[in-house]
Amino acid sequence: MSENNEKSSSAQPNGSCVNEDDGRDPTSSEALTLPTFVAGSGTLDRLVDTARDYARAAASDNTLKAYAKDWAHFARWCRMKGIEPLPPSPEMTGLYLADLASGLGPSPALSVSTIDRRLSGLTWNYAQRGFTLDRKNRHIATVLAGIKRKHARPPVQKEAILAEDILAMVATLPYDLRGLRDRAILLLGYAGGLRRSEIVSLDRHKNDTPDSGGWIEIMDQGALLTLNAKTGWREVEIGRGSSDQTCPIHALAQWLHFAKIDFGPVFVGTSRDGKRALEARLNDKHVARLIKRTVLNAGIRSELPEKERLALFSGHSLRAGLASSAEVDERYVQKHLGHATAEMTRRYQRRRDRFRVNLTKAAGL
């Protein structure tokens, strides 16, 4: 049973046009083929299919979906302006970015980060079609620099879920099978500082399923998670908590035991009556919905209207919560979250001792 049970134009490089609103990933069609001068064979055809599989794995599913939407939007814009999206034109790309930022058309102006993402999507899509879009071309680079200078704002960050918040959230969950699962998701995601995609991609053991994003080893002192994450493979150590009520490892063990999960995906759907675990892996959107639902039920930030409260929290609130609540040396948090730099870790810390190192006094003032 899937998540639903619970609630639940472009052209090719040769110039021939296809439906610009088609959001298909170009890596799955003719973008990877044999050269015209090579005679096909069963072995070579299988290698083409293998290469396509690797090409699809070059980015996450969410990234590929976003890039497909970026291309569809740009192709539709080109059609409305009476031009073709191929071959790439830096001049037209610059005009497109200006249109996105100006808000003069029927659509509202986009944020700088969204415009930057749209440009990345176009660059990727052109590359899959055998073209190169030069982001350093003056028609693109100068327009984008001007947009950033004029419209850039401090990043809007999601609210961190702090220790007292996560305890209040899990307290709202029942102790039926579905409640045991959701409790394990929240506590494991919080203690591990995990992305929502990392949570639902976990398998019970190594190589259990083809779509696995990692696996779990439960030990006496805690659990070791081996993750194929956004930045590559990494290990995350999650120790046991101070009590069974707040321990992520105890919550995980309870879910695995009563759900009878000893192989395959760790977090799966349940039957409508909530008494039986199914085989289908949960979608990462379940984590986001779970966070928002338990935030409301726990009364967190109850002084705000419900719509504003829901907008404050997302899957990233778990990572930000751990980074903000863990009172340890910053380098340990950085390693735990898999960040390449301490500066990235600091972006997740909503509260910290900012003036622990006082360079003013250290300089003699």
Side-chain angles (χ1 to χ4, degrees), residues 338-365:
H339 289 155
T341 65
E343 182 58 36
M344 177 59 71
T345 302
R346 294 187 189 109
R347 295 183 189 178
Y348 283 77
Q349 294 173 321
R350 305 296 189 262
R351 63 179 190 187
R352 59 188 173 92
D353 187 359
R354 296 180 179 274
F355 300 101
R356 181 177 58 179
V357 178
N358 190 327
L359 290 181
T360 305
K361 291 182 179 180
L365 300 179

Side-chain angles (χ1 to χ4, degrees), residues 72-107:
H73 186 275
F74 175 66
R76 195 175 302 116
W77 181 87
C78 289
R79 183 185 63 193
M80 294 174 65
K81 304 300 180 187
I83 58 175
E84 294 293 333
L86 292 172
S89 166
E91 294 85 353
M92 294 309 301
T93 303
L95 294 179
Y96 173 66
L97 299 181
D99 198 14
L100 296 179
S102 67
L104 298 177
S107 301

Side-chain angles (χ1 to χ4, degrees), residues 186-259:
L186 290 176
L187 290 174
L188 196 73
Y190 181 80
L194 305 178
R195 300 175 179 89
R196 65 185 192 183
S197 59
E198 294 172 345
I199 297 172
V200 299
S201 69
L202 287 169
D203 276 2
R204 186 65 187 87
H205 308 99
K206 183 179 180 180
N207 298 328
D208 275 359
T209 63
D211 61 340
S212 170
W215 65 92
I216 294 177
E217 298 174 72
I218 299 179
M219 308 171 183
D220 290 341
Q221 292 181 305
L224 177 64
L225 277 57
T226 305
L227 300 171
N228 187 8
K230 183 178 180 181
T231 54
W233 285 100
R234 82 177 198 275
E235 292 183 342
V236 175
E237 301 168 2
I238 301 179
R240 292 187 180 272
S242 55
S243 70
D244 286 348
Q245 287 71 30
T246 63
C247 176
I249 312 306
H250 178 77
L252 175 64
Q254 290 286 98
W255 157 247
L256 294 175
H257 173 73
F258 288 103

Side-chain angles (χ1 to χ4, degrees), residues 120-134:
S120 297
L122 294 186
T123 303
W124 184 90
N125 274 283
Y126 275 124
Q128 303 312 304
R129 290 163 171 82
F131 294 101
T132 298
L133 179 64
D134 183 10

